[in-house]
Amino acid sequence: MDDYQTALVRAKTVADCQRVYEEALAAKRRAYQKDYPETYRSLAAAKELDYWIKAENRAKVIESGQHSYGNLIRRQIKL
């Protein structure tokens, strides 16, 4: 299990999931921009989708038992 998944497992609320998602994505975007300045946007977009799916799934587990419609995690895609 990577650090991102570990942080999501520790999340107790949907807001925690959102915060973990945003922080991890920002860190990954910075790392990609430093290491791959020419192609970091496409790499970050792919990672953003992966992170969002994991955060959304964790948020839905947390919210199970409560009725909700749509997505719980706001995506942060910025290309």
Side-chain angles (χ1 to χ4, degrees):
M1 191 177 307
D2 64 13
D3 292 340
Y4 179 65
Q5 288 175 310
T6 302
L8 282 176
V9 167
R10 290 184 182 134
K12 302 294 183 208
T13 65
V14 172
D16 291 343
C17 292
Q18 183 74 42
R19 181 187 46 75
V20 167
Y21 162 75
E22 290 173 358
E23 290 172 359
L25 186 60
K28 187 57 80 170
R29 188 177 289 126
R30 284 189 301 273
Y32 282 155
Q33 190 171 11
K34 179 183 173 196
D35 296 341
Y36 309 102
E38 300 291 322
T39 59
Y40 82 93
R41 286 189 174 112
S42 59
L43 294 169
K47 186 53 77 172
E48 188 271 343
L49 182 59
D50 178 53
Y51 279 5
W52 177 79
I53 290 169
K54 290 175 181 172
E56 183 69 17
N57 287 340
R58 176 63 180 148
K60 286 186 178 187
V61 167
I62 290 170
E63 288 291 303
S64 65
Q66 296 182 11
H67 199 64
S68 64
Y69 296 97
N71 299 326
L72 300 171
I73 303 297
R74 286 177 280 113
R75 291 186 66 188
Q76 296 291 315
I77 194 157
K78 294 176 185 173
L79 299 178

